[in-house]
Amino acid sequence: MKHLKMMLFILVVLSVLLTACGPAQTAQPAPTQGDSTTAMDTEAPSDQAQTPITLQVFIDTEGEDAAFVNDSRLTKYMKNKFNVNFDVVSGTTAETLTLMLASGDYPKLIYKSWYSMLEVVKYGELGVFVPLEDYIAKYAPNVTKAFEENPALKAAVYAPDGHIYMMPYWEECYHCSMAMKMWINTEWLKAVGMDMPTTTDEFEKVLIAFRDQDPNGNGQKDEIPLTGFINSWNGEPWNFLMNAFVYNTGTGSDFTYIDGDKVAFAPIQPEWKEGLKYIKNLYAQGLYDPQAYTQNAEQFKNLALGDDELVGVYAAGHLGMGMDPWVNLERANKYEPVLPLKGPAGVQLTPYWPNRGMDGSFAITNKASEEEAIAFIKLLDWHYSEEGSVSSWFGPKEEGWTWAEDGDLGINGEPAIWKVLESSSADIQTDLTWEPIFYMPARLFLGWASSQDIYTTDGYERRLYLATKEYEKFRPAQIPPSGMYMTSEDSDTYGQLLVSIQNQVQLNSAAFITGEKDIDKEWDAYVAGFNDLKLDQYLSILQKYYTPSE
């Protein structure tokens, strides 16, 4: 995460002093809860504005033109349902929104932003973001119901000062919760006469066989035993392998774990050093592809799906990031997950993230009128209903998806709740939706209708589900804090320390693995370097927000 620099913070303060105090909090009559439209949905009263209203909204269009939002079928559906129009202020990253907020020239409403929860509280304290809890209580029965049914969600959205300033995406995607995976070509295992590796020693022997025994059968020594890619979701092989030595949450994380009741830092532990030595040995033998440090996800996918079958093992959050079953199902079906490997000391772990997509998305600023705020909160409430959540993902009901029928089974093998019409992949028609905020609890996610044949594209999500089930027993009992609110002071300090500490870990780990640095001669200096980066202060902040799991 990138964090706001001090100059930008000063600009925010100045802009707030020059900005009106926000929508008037006039008393409104309490709504009467309507009949449930599904097992979870509760219809908010008078969803549609009495007269058409235009909402000025910030939307992270992810590189698309703002017309992409207005032309989508989801937007057209919402305009008719809620009697609203959208004046889209578009951006491409959370940093765009940060600059807008810092300048004082920001839109009235924030609709889609992927905004760091670390930044949200400071704008709430400055009065830029308006508290949402009273609006939710009056106009958002589905959000209220979600709070009642999901205490973790309710706990996550309240800032330290007791207010809700921004509502998040909330996706309880089961396979995403244990997404640091590796995938191995089982046909190659058969070709070299070896079983699925379960330990680091067995894994090394498999890679050697892949390198030397021509498992693709083309008479050339062109096999790539182990590879991956950078700047994407769990694509770096070293992160997976380190969990055979010490708990490692991977690139872009805070690299912490729980030792007893304390937040500890993995990259300075002796076990981390041993893990680096093991991975360095793979690299030195030509078993760990150097391109895994330079190629991006697209380049890797082109390699994986090329005419020649070259890849033995690769790291990826899910199989299709390399062996895409919608492009080459036959090749994809040769690959199975490698379970977490057992290291020489018996360590065998997988990282666990119980919720995905906790960055904020939906906020009301002090520039919105009361009428605009109420209309917008009703949109939020719809997105937190079952229908609205699935529609955010796959477009309007009966266009991108529909309710399941008798006999349809979900990802978990239980009766399904809903099913996709156009495709069972995320590769649906691009004009259906722009994926605004949604609330996808585990029950709804696993209720997605899926073929029970996991070696078909329609059974792909169930395939990931079953693969993840095998990882379950390797997750830790306690996990370090993440995705949580902090006080503005802690947030500023933590954000500044995090970047430098992440860089220290990632740059030095790569240097030790590739041999650029001598791990035996330079390890002590590497560890001592964290003192200059104020590691103790960094850990003390995280310790403050750690709550043991029950």
Side-chain angles (χ1 to χ4, degrees):
M1 293 175 190
K2 297 182 180 177
H3 297 271
L4 195 61
K5 298 194 182 298
M6 182 59 69
M7 183 58 71
L8 296 183
F9 181 77
I10 293 170
L11 288 172
V12 172
V13 176
L14 293 175
S15 69
V16 170
L17 293 175
L18 298 172
T19 305
C21 293
Q25 301 294 311
T26 54
Q28 297 291 330
T32 301
Q33 182 168 305
D35 295 333
S36 295
T37 56
T38 75
M40 279 186 60
D41 295 357
T42 303
E43 193 72 22
S46 305
D47 278 344
Q48 191 173 83
Q50 296 301 308
T51 58
I53 183 171
T54 297
L55 302 178
Q56 184 191 57
V57 293
F58 175 86
I59 293 174
D60 183 344
T61 55
E62 301 180 25
E64 299 283 352
D65 187 86
F68 165 73
V69 173
N70 282 316
D71 291 341
S72 81
R73 285 190 256 171
L74 177 64
T75 300
K76 293 172 183 177
Y77 175 83
M78 291 191 296
K79 285 179 178 180
N80 290 330
K81 179 176 177 63
F82 292 95
N83 200 18
V84 297
N85 292 299
F86 298 124
D87 173 16
V88 178
V89 179
S90 62
T92 56
T93 63
E95 284 75 13
T96 304
L97 180 58
T98 294
L99 292 173
M100 289 180 178
L101 293 169
S103 71
D105 185 17
Y106 49 84
K108 297 178 180 180
L109 306 161
I110 314 299
Y111 207 162
K112 179 181 179 180
S113 62
W114 298 108
Y115 203 59
S116 168
M117 301 301 266
L118 292 174
E119 301 286 0
V120 170
V121 66
K122 71 175 63 173
Y123 295 114
E125 291 176 348
L126 291 167
V128 174
F129 293 146
V130 172
L132 302 179
E133 60 272 10
D134 288 345
Y135 289 111
I136 289 170
K138 292 178 181 178
Y139 304 108
N142 286 304
V143 178
T144 300
K145 189 169 186 178
F147 287 166
E148 293 170 353
E149 295 179 349
N150 196 332
L153 169 67
K154 184 176 182 180
V157 300
Y158 276 91
D161 64 3
H163 292 302
I164 302 173
Y165 293 116
M166 183 172 275
M167 287 296 293
Y169 287 82
W170 190 273
E171 181 188 2
E172 294 178 357
C173 160
Y174 179 67
H175 78 83
C176 307
S177 69
M178 288 164 274
M180 193 175 285
K181 295 184 174 76
M182 269 191 177
W183 307 89
I184 191 168
N185 189 322
T186 56
E187 291 298 312
W188 283 19
L189 282 175
K190 293 176 185 176
V192 300
M194 301 183 79
D195 296 327
M196 179 72 74
T198 60
T199 68
T200 50
D201 284 345
E202 291 173 0
F203 186 69
E204 180 181 354
K205 291 174 183 177
V206 164
L207 296 183
I208 291 171
F210 284 178
R211 181 193 65 190
D212 295 342
Q213 296 184 30
D214 190 29
N216 67 8
N218 67 356
Q220 303 177 46
K221 198 170 183 178
D222 56 0
E223 289 82 0
I224 303 170
L226 172 63
T227 190
F229 49 93
I230 59 173
N231 300 329
S232 194
W233 193 32
N234 292 311
E236 298 178 42
W238 73 273
N239 284 316
F240 177 95
L241 296 172
M242 187 60 74
N243 279 286
F245 298 86
V246 65
Y247 188 68
N248 172 35
T249 47
T251 301
S253 74
D254 57 24
F255 295 105
T256 58
Y257 67 103
I258 301 303
D259 183 8
D261 60 355
K262 300 295 183 182
V263 177
F265 188 62
I268 60 172
Q269 306 303 324
E271 295 86 354
W272 188 274
K273 181 180 180 181
E274 292 307 306
L276 290 176
K277 284 185 173 183
Y278 170 78
I279 302 165
K280 178 181 183 291
N281 180 50
L282 300 183
Y283 188 92
Q285 295 181 76
L287 306 176
Y288 190 120
D289 183 16
Q291 298 302 312
Y293 278 110
T294 58
Q295 66 190 355
N296 61 30
E298 182 179 1
Q299 291 168 329
F300 168 67
K301 198 168 190 176
N302 290 336
L303 169 71
L305 296 170
D307 293 338
D308 296 319
E309 193 170 304
L310 301 176
V311 176
V313 188
Y314 67 96
H318 65 87
L319 175 70
M321 296 175 73
M323 305 300 163
D324 189 335
W326 284 269
V327 176
N328 190 329
L329 181 61
E330 180 182 3
R331 185 174 294 181
N333 284 345
K334 296 179 181 180
Y335 287 78
E336 296 292 347
V338 180
L339 296 186
L341 299 170
K342 182 181 288 187
V347 176
Q348 193 173 17
L349 295 167
T350 191
Y352 178 56
W353 301 277
N355 305 304
R356 181 170 175 264
M358 253 308 297
D359 281 351
S361 176
F362 185 102
I364 297 171
T365 77
N366 54 5
K367 294 185 178 183
S369 69
E370 183 75 358
E371 180 186 23
E372 291 165 335
I374 293 171
F376 199 46
I377 211 75
K378 290 181 178 180
L379 277 171
L380 168 69
D381 192 59
W382 181 71
H383 287 301
Y384 263 60
S385 71
E386 286 190 345
E387 179 181 342
S389 183
V390 181
S391 296
S392 293
W393 218 6
F394 286 99
K397 185 165 71 75
E398 306 306 336
E399 295 185 54
W401 66 281
T402 190
W403 299 120
E405 300 173 358
D406 289 344
D408 288 335
L409 296 178
I411 292 170
N412 59 357
E414 300 295 324
I417 299 171
W418 58 281
K419 61 182 178 181
V420 175
L421 293 177
E422 310 255 1
S423 166
S424 62
S425 77
D427 214 7
I428 59 175
Q429 292 187 19
T430 55
D431 70 334
L432 276 171
T433 182
W434 42 278
E435 294 189 353
I437 189 171
F438 53 79
Y439 170 62
M440 186 70 64
R443 185 185 69 85
L444 188 57
F445 185 90
L446 296 176
W448 178 358
S450 171
S451 169
Q452 302 302 288
D453 182 352
I454 66 172
Y455 296 107
T456 63
T457 52
D458 286 341
Y460 182 69
E461 284 291 336
R462 179 160 173 78
R463 183 176 185 176
L464 298 179
Y465 169 82
L466 292 176
T468 306
K469 274 290 183 185
E470 296 299 313
Y471 277 60
E472 183 93 36
K473 58 182 173 287
F474 302 112
R475 78 183 205 196
Q478 301 292 335
I479 58 174
S482 64
M484 67 288 174
Y485 272 125
M486 295 180 176
T487 65
S488 55
E489 180 180 0
D490 285 343
S491 174
D492 285 342
T493 303
Y494 173 76
Q496 292 165 11
L497 297 177
L498 176 65
V499 174
S500 57
I501 286 172
Q502 285 176 333
N503 287 339
Q504 171 85 341
V505 173
Q506 289 161 197
L507 292 174
N508 282 279
S509 294
F512 287 137
I513 290 169
T514 60
E516 181 182 336
K517 285 189 172 185
D518 187 310
I519 193 166
D520 289 316
K521 294 180 180 178
E522 299 182 72
W523 174 260
D524 290 343
Y526 155 76
V527 172
F530 287 102
N531 294 328
D532 295 334
L533 300 178
K534 300 180 180 179
L535 177 62
D536 287 346
Q537 185 179 11
Y538 171 83
L539 291 175
S540 69
I541 291 173
L542 287 173
Q543 185 70 43
K544 187 187 300 185
Y545 297 94
Y546 168 61
T547 302
S549 304
E550 295 181 359

